[in-house]
Amino acid sequence: MRSPLAVLFVVVATSTLAAPLAGQERGAPTAKPSIQVSFKLDPRLSGPTYGGERWVSPPTYRGAGAQDTVEARASAIDSAGRPLRIDVQWTTSDPETVAITPTRGEQVKITAKRAGETVVTVSAGGSSRKLTVKAVEVNGIRQVSISQ
């Protein structure tokens, strides 16, 4: 059974999410969202104890050696810095070099199929962000780096 305080919180949170932004009418167009992309650190880099998943968003993410798949996630924020729920589309300029699964959704896996360079475009809500994915192979070991 929920307490009255919990029910009040749910009602306030729901009405806040449904309310238009200050100075806007319902249905009025909003500014394009800002897309932020982050990458999941390879668990081998986190050490021997489990501290949960660690996501980072550096200008260039370099995966661990022998890491040909990187998990990435995109989020969108409005001009006031509030998170938005939007449909995210991921595309690659060269599907022979990089595969993205799934191609829709906030979280995907980017897999380097061979050495090379390609551009991945993350699109949502009329905005887009380009990521440059480079894969190199040295002595049979592939390493991926992604610049945003």
Side-chain angles (χ1 to χ4, degrees):
M1 182 170 160
R2 291 188 176 162
S3 71
L5 183 58
V7 172
L8 177 62
F9 176 77
V10 170
V11 170
V12 170
T14 304
S15 64
T16 302
L17 290 174
L21 299 175
Q24 288 185 334
E25 298 177 41
R26 287 192 191 272
T30 60
K32 290 182 180 180
S34 173
I35 298 173
Q36 298 177 335
V37 179
S38 55
F39 308 98
K40 185 177 177 182
L41 279 179
D42 186 312
R44 296 176 290 175
L45 300 176
S46 298
T49 59
Y50 181 74
E53 294 180 345
R54 295 178 61 191
W55 293 82
V56 296
S57 188
T60 299
Y61 173 80
R62 288 181 179 78
Q67 180 183 7
D68 61 355
T69 300
V70 174
E71 288 186 59
R73 69 178 174 196
S75 58
I77 57 172
D78 66 13
S79 59
R82 293 180 294 240
L84 299 172
R85 287 190 148 286
I86 53 178
D87 184 33
V88 182
Q89 173 81 32
W90 301 74
T91 56
T92 177
S93 63
D94 184 3
E96 298 298 318
T97 302
V98 169
I100 303 170
T101 53
T103 57
R104 286 189 104 72
E106 293 177 5
Q107 189 168 330
V108 299
K109 290 184 180 182
I110 300 172
T111 303
K113 297 163 71 175
R114 66 178 184 195
E117 183 175 324
T118 188
V119 174
V120 170
T121 304
V122 184
S123 305
S127 294
S128 65
R129 183 171 197 128
K130 299 210 181 283
L131 309 174
T132 302
V133 180
K134 295 180 186 177
V136 295
E137 197 164 328
V138 179
N139 297 328
I141 297 175
R142 190 171 300 143
Q143 183 170 11
V144 177
S145 66
I146 304 173
S147 299
Q148 43 181 335

